[in-house]
Amino acid sequence: MAKTPLLLIPGLLCSPRLFAPQVAALAELAEIVVPDWRRAPLSIWDSWESAARWIVDQMPPGKFTLAGLSLGGMLAVEIMQIAADRVTKLALLDTGMRSQNEAERAVRRARIRLAEEGHFELVLGLQLSRFIPAYRLPDKKLVDEVMTMCGEIGVDIYKRQEELAAVRADRRPDLPKIKCPTIVVCGRDDAATPLFLSEEMAKAIPAAALVVVEQCGHLISMEKPEETNLILSTWLKR
């Protein structure tokens, strides 16, 4: 039986390392594509549409299942604006669809300035506090893996991602238009995209299911790989 094409979109500061456990565990079920931001021209970050189109171009022709985490989830919903007819199932992981207010944009601009001024390590430390709950910080293996992943992305891509995230549109009005089977997944202790954002998405998308991962923060695929694998495999088989 032919495997399902599955597109897994990483988030801000995330390389394909984000989904390494899922690529290994779901290989029997799906032909998996994980876009690598390092292989893309920086110009894809000129607009949400250009980033979405570059991502879709990584897929073979025809229909596919689609999942994205954080910024990747936002990009997944952008893909639904231009290629919804190709998407058979959707999974939105630790993400949100609201636009940014001025205070949120100011925080992003401050992080960009720090990166530009040579303080990228400080930026990574600030992001780590949003990505991983404080109670998981003693887990050196997890922290090292996350920091390695973020370092792989580098300053230039990071800055462009932050700039784009700051000007994102409010996609909540578009959520009721999503007709394919959808799951919305969030770590209970996600500090970057808190649970209430997932709850409002699940309510807005027709027949969407909300899945909450306990004792987990923003990077569910790395923090709770076995649970994430089970969630995604069940979704793929459904």
Side-chain angles (χ1 to χ4, degrees):
M1 187 171 68
K3 295 181 184 178
T4 302
L6 170 60
L7 173 58
L8 296 175
I9 309 177
L12 181 143
L13 272 175
C14 295
S15 72
R17 192 182 291 263
L18 177 71
F19 291 119
Q22 289 68 54
V23 170
L26 303 176
E28 294 296 318
L29 290 175
E31 293 289 350
I32 302 172
V33 174
V34 184
D36 189 336
W37 308 132
R38 296 166 295 180
R39 297 175 182 267
L42 284 176
S43 60
I44 72 164
W45 305 108
D46 288 348
S47 72
W48 284 93
E49 182 178 352
S50 60
R53 290 194 181 279
W54 181 84
I55 294 165
V56 171
D57 286 345
Q58 309 308 301
M59 295 302 290
K63 296 183 180 295
F64 56 89
T65 52
L66 173 61
L69 189 150
S70 194
L71 182 76
M74 298 169 201
L75 286 163
V77 172
E78 291 300 317
I79 289 170
M80 297 301 293
Q81 312 307 307
I82 62 172
D85 59 321
R86 294 182 60 190
V87 179
T88 59
K89 295 179 182 179
L90 177 66
L92 301 173
L93 315 176
D94 291 290
T95 189
M97 293 299 136
R98 297 186 179 194
S99 59
Q100 300 276 270
N101 60 37
E102 185 51 44
E104 290 166 328
R105 286 193 290 269
V107 170
R108 290 188 184 277
R109 288 194 292 265
R111 290 198 293 255
I112 291 169
R113 283 197 301 273
L114 282 172
E116 289 175 332
E117 292 168 1
H119 303 296
F120 190 48
E121 289 295 324
L122 176 57
V123 171
L124 296 186
L126 293 170
Q127 293 288 13
L128 188 68
S129 68
R130 301 172 71 245
F131 285 174
I132 300 179
Y135 57 77
R136 293 301 304 274
L137 292 177
D139 186 340
K140 186 176 185 300
K141 181 179 178 181
L142 173 64
V143 170
D144 288 350
E145 187 74 358
V146 171
M147 291 297 282
T148 297
M149 175 181 71
C150 294
E152 287 173 343
I153 295 303
V155 174
D156 291 339
I157 297 172
Y158 165 71
K159 285 164 47 182
R160 297 302 303 273
Q161 290 178 327
E162 280 279 35
E163 288 163 358
L164 191 61
V167 297
R168 67 178 184 258
D170 188 336
R171 283 297 180 197
R172 286 176 293 174
D174 297 302
L175 296 179
K177 303 172 190 175
I178 296 174
K179 304 304 181 187
C180 65
T182 301
I183 58 170
V184 180
V185 187
C186 188
R188 173 75 69 182
D189 303 320
D190 186 345
T193 51
L195 179 57
F196 74 86
L197 296 176
S198 289
E199 292 172 336
E200 71 177 10
M201 289 188 296
K203 288 178 182 177
I205 299 170
L210 176 66
V211 182
V212 180
V213 181
E214 302 295 342
Q215 287 289 299
C216 189
H218 186 57
L219 302 178
I220 60 169
S221 58
M222 299 177 79
E223 288 180 58
K224 293 289 183 80
E226 292 183 1
E227 278 192 51
T228 303
N229 296 344
L230 179 59
I231 290 166
L232 292 180
S233 64
T234 303
W235 166 70
L236 286 169
K237 292 174 184 176
R238 187 175 301 151

